[in-house]
C-alpha cells in the first residue's frame, strides 16, 4: 500500500498539482491550505508523513511543526521552504522535523524522503508497541 | 536630505522587500515546476497507452499562465521599487505610489490575514519628494495599521489633496488605547524618516486613523 501523506501549504495551485503527481506515484494524499484545519486532520487521522510549508498565514511552519509534534510525537514532518537557510533548518531539526526541502521541489527527492519518513515512523511505532508489551508483562509480575 | 541618518532604515526596508519578492517568486516557480512535472507525468502515461484528456492540458496551461501573470506583476512592482532609488528627489503621483507600496506589502498582509483597500481620489496628487523614503514611511504606516486594525481585518488607505500639502490616512485602528502614548508610534526610526521627508504623523483618536501629512514639494 502507498504512503499516506498530508500536504499543508497555503498555495492552493501548488498543493493540488503536487497531490495529483504524488497520487500518480501511488501515494494516498490529503491536502490542506490552512494549518489550523490541518492540525485537526492530524488529530483525527494517522499519516506516514506530513509535508509542511514553512511560511503560511494563520500560523508559521515552525509553530505548526511544534503543534503537530505535540499532538503526535511520532509524526514525521518534512518542511518545505522558499529559501532553505541553515538557521531555519537547524531550528526545524531541533524541533523534530524529519527533513527539510527547498522549493521548487524535485518529486523524486520528495518521494524518497517520504519513504524514509514512513520507515522511520514504523520503527518508532514498533518500538512503542514493544515497550507497551514490556510494561504490561513487567507490571503483571509473571 | 540626511542620507546617513535614513540610509540604514532604507537599506533595511530594501532588504525586507527584496526577501519578500524572492519568496513570492520561489512559490510561483514551485507551482510552474509542478505543472510542468504533471505534463511530463501525463506524457509518460500516454506513452503507456493512457490517453491525455485535452481538458486536463487546458487546466494546466491556465494555471501556468496565471502564475506567469502573477510573477509579471511582482516583477513590474520590483522594477519600479528598485528605480525609486535612482534620484534623491522626484515628481510622483501619490496614488500610484500608495498602490505600489500596497503591492509590495501584499505578501505581508496575506501573512497577517489582513486585506488592504486603497481609495485614491480620481484627481492625481503630484508631489515632489524622495520616492524611496516616502515608500519606506508609507510601508511602515501600513505595517503598523495592519498590526493594530479593527476586527474584520481590513486596512483602508485614503489620500487627500490639501493645496500645499497632501494627506494619507490609514485606518481603522482598533479601540485598544486609552492614550496615544500606549501606541508607541511613531518610534525613533519613523521620526527620522518624518524629519527627512519634512512630514508629520498624527494619530486621530476621533477617526481612529493614522494620518500622514506630507508637503507637496519637499524643497519648498
Amino acid at each position: 500500500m502507498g504512503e499516506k501523506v498530508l500536504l499543508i501549504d497555503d498555495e492552493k495551485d501548488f498543493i493540488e498539482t503536487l497531490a495529483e503527481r504524488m497520487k500518480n506515484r501511488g501515494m494516498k494524499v490529503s491536502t490542506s491550505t490552512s494549518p489550523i484545519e490541518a492540525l485537526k486532520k492530524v488529530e483525527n487521522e494517522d499519516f506516514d508523513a506530513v509535508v509542511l510549508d514553512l511560511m503560511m498565514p494563520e500560523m508559521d511552519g515552525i509553530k505548526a511543526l511544534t503543534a503537530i509534534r505535540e499532538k503526535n510525537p511520532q509524526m514525521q514532518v518534512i518542511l518545505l521552504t522558499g529559501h532553505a537557510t541553515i538557521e531555519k533548518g537547524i531550528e526545524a531539526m531541533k524541533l523534530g522535523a524529519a527533513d527539510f526541502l527547498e522549493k521548487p521541489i524535485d518529486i523524486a527527492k520528495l518521494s524518497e524522503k517520504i519513504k524514509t519518513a514512513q520507515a522511520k515512523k514504523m520503527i518508532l511505532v514498533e518500538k512503542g508497541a514493544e515497550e507497551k508489551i514490556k510494561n504490561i508483562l513487567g507490571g503483571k509480575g509473571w | 536630505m540626511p542620507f546617513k541618518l535614513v540610509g540604514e532604515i532604507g537599506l533595511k526596508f530594501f532588504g525586507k522587500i527584496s526577501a519578500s519578492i524572492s519568496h513570492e517568486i520561489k512559490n510561483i516557480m514551485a507551482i510552474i515546476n509542478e505543472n510542468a512535472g504533471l505534463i511530463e507525468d501525463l506524457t509518460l502515461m500516454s506513452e503507456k497507452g493512457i490517453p491525455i484528456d485535452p481538458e486536463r492540458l487546458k487546466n494546466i496551461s491556465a494555471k501556468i499562465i496565471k502564475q506567469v501573470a502573477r510573477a509579471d506583476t511582482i516583477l513590474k512592482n520590483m522594477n519600479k521599487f528598485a528605480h525609486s532609488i535612482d534620484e534623491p528627489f522626484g515628481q510622483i503621483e501619490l496614488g500610484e505610489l500608495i498602490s505600489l507600496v500596497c503591492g509590495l506589502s501584499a505578501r505581508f498582509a496575506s501573512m497577517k490575514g489582513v486585506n488592504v483597500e486603497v481609495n485614491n481620489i480620481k484627481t492625481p496628487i503630484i508631489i515632489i519628494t524622495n520616492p524611496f523614503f516616502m515608500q519606506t514611511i508609507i510601508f511602515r504606516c501600513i505595517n503598523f495599521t495592519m498590526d493594530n486594525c479593527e476586527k474584520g481585518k481590513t486596512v483602508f488607505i485614503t489620500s487627500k489633496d490639501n493645496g500645499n500639502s497632501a494627506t494619507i490616512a490609514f485606518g481603522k485602528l482598533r479601540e485598544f488605547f486609552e492614550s496615544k502614548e500606549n501606541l508607541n508610534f511613531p518610534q525613533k526610526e519613523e521620526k527620522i524618516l518624518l524629519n527627512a521627508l519634512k512630514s508629520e504623523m498624527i494619530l486621530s483618536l476621533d477617526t481612529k486613523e493614522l494620518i500622514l501629512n506630507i508637503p507637496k514639494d519637499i524643497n519648498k
Side-chain angles (χ1 to χ4, degrees):
Chain A
M1 206 175 79
E3 301 81 8
K4 197 176 169 196
V5 183
L6 173 63
L7 291 181
I8 314 167
D9 195 311
D10 62 305
E11 293 275 359
K12 195 169 170 255
D13 283 351
F14 173 70
I15 50 167
E16 269 179 8
T17 316
L18 180 60
E20 187 175 347
R21 296 190 71 203
M22 287 163 75
K23 282 175 193 167
N24 288 344
R25 282 156 181 79
M27 291 179 225
K28 203 176 165 194
V29 188
S30 293
T31 59
S32 181
T33 52
S34 148
I36 292 166
E37 179 202 283
L39 283 177
K40 284 180 195 155
K41 279 191 182 174
V42 170
E43 216 166 5
N44 300 323
E45 259 180 271
D46 199 22
F47 296 94
D48 294 316
V50 173
V51 179
L52 171 70
D53 186 35
L54 195 58
M55 291 193 87
M56 281 179 294
E58 293 179 354
M59 188 187 275
D60 79 48
I62 296 286
K63 273 189 194 156
L65 165 68
T66 313
I68 291 170
R69 297 278 298 173
E70 266 172 21
K71 284 185 194 297
N72 189 341
Q74 288 166 345
M75 191 65 81
Q76 300 298 300
V77 181
I78 298 165
L79 279 174
L80 292 184
T81 178
H83 293 280
T85 61
I86 293 168
E87 293 82 10
K88 279 279 175 195
I90 292 170
E91 194 184 348
M93 294 302 181
K94 273 185 187 166
L95 289 168
D99 223 319
F100 204 66
L101 257 180
E102 190 171 330
K103 284 179 180 175
I105 293 165
D106 176 347
I107 198 146
K109 267 189 195 164
L110 178 65
S111 304
E112 202 180 290
K113 287 182 190 294
I114 288 170
K115 281 191 173 69
T116 311
Q118 185 200 32
K120 202 172 158 190
K121 195 188 168 195
M122 274 172 71
I123 294 168
L124 287 172
V125 170
E126 275 170 22
K127 261 190 187 172
E130 220 172 88
E131 267 168 34
K132 265 186 196 168
I133 293 168
K134 267 185 195 168
N135 285 341
I136 292 166
L137 291 175
K140 293 284 177 193
W142 291 329
Chain B
M1 176 74 57
F3 280 109
K4 279 183 187 168
L5 283 172
V6 288
E8 199 183 311
I9 303 166
L11 197 58
K12 220 192 270 178
F13 174 55
F14 199 86
K16 195 169 185 166
I17 295 297
S18 304
S20 165
I21 288 170
S22 72
H23 270 279
E24 279 280 276
I25 298 294
K26 275 275 204 171
N27 276 332
I28 292 167
M29 277 166 60
I31 297 170
I32 294 174
N33 182 60
E34 288 319 312
N35 281 287
L38 186 56
I39 293 172
E40 197 183 7
D41 287 358
L42 293 173
T43 313
L44 290 171
M45 283 153 81
S46 125
E47 281 169 6
K48 286 178 185 168
I50 303 165
I52 303 175
D53 177 4
E55 275 305 307
R56 293 285 305 108
L57 289 179
K58 261 191 210 170
N59 285 338
I60 296 168
S61 161
K63 278 184 183 175
I64 294 172
I65 289 168
K66 185 177 144 191
Q67 293 308 316
V68 171
R70 182 181 163 194
D72 188 49
T73 305
I74 293 167
L75 292 174
K76 270 181 188 154
N77 282 343
M78 187 193 178
N79 187 268
K80 278 186 202 164
F81 173 66
H83 279 299
S84 69
I85 306 175
D86 291 350
E87 300 293 335
F89 302 109
Q91 188 172 288
I92 53 161
E93 201 286 293
L94 192 58
E96 211 175 278
L97 193 83
I98 294 169
S99 298
L100 171 63
V101 182
C102 286
L104 296 170
S105 312
R107 188 166 168 273
F108 299 97
S110 155
M111 286 293 142
K112 291 177 189 213
V114 176
N115 291 314
V116 180
E117 258 185 53
V118 184
N119 301 308
N120 285 327
I121 54 163
K122 282 175 187 162
T123 326
I125 306 173
I126 307 295
I127 60 165
I128 296 168
T129 189
N130 179 297
F132 178 69
F133 292 123
M134 186 52 73
Q135 288 173 76
T136 314
I137 193 74
I138 293 173
F139 176 81
R140 282 174 174 256
C141 290
I142 293 175
N143 218 29
F144 170 79
T145 316
M146 284 197 293
D147 289 337
N148 297 289
C149 63
E150 280 189 333
K151 273 185 188 171
K153 294 191 164 183
T154 299
V155 170
F156 298 97
I157 306 172
T158 46
S159 49
K160 208 171 100 187
D161 194 335
N162 305 318
N164 289 331
S165 67
T167 304
I168 313 171
F170 306 85
K172 297 242 172 179
L173 297 168
R174 66 194 160 99
E175 213 155 349
F176 70 107
F177 48 91
E178 286 162 357
S179 68
K180 290 179 190 179
E181 284 72 37
N182 286 355
L183 281 167
N184 200 19
F185 195 81
Q187 290 188 3
K188 193 186 162 195
E189 292 190 336
E190 287 84 22
K191 282 177 186 166
I192 292 171
L193 282 167
L194 289 170
N195 187 41
L197 292 163
K198 295 182 183 168
S199 301
E200 58 170 359
M201 199 181 274
I202 302 159
L203 278 163
S204 166
L205 298 178
D206 298 333
T207 59
K208 292 189 220 164
E209 282 174 329
L210 173 68
I211 297 162
L212 186 63
N213 278 327
I214 49 180
K216 280 276 203 65
D217 186 346
I218 196 171
N219 297 315
K220 274 185 187 167

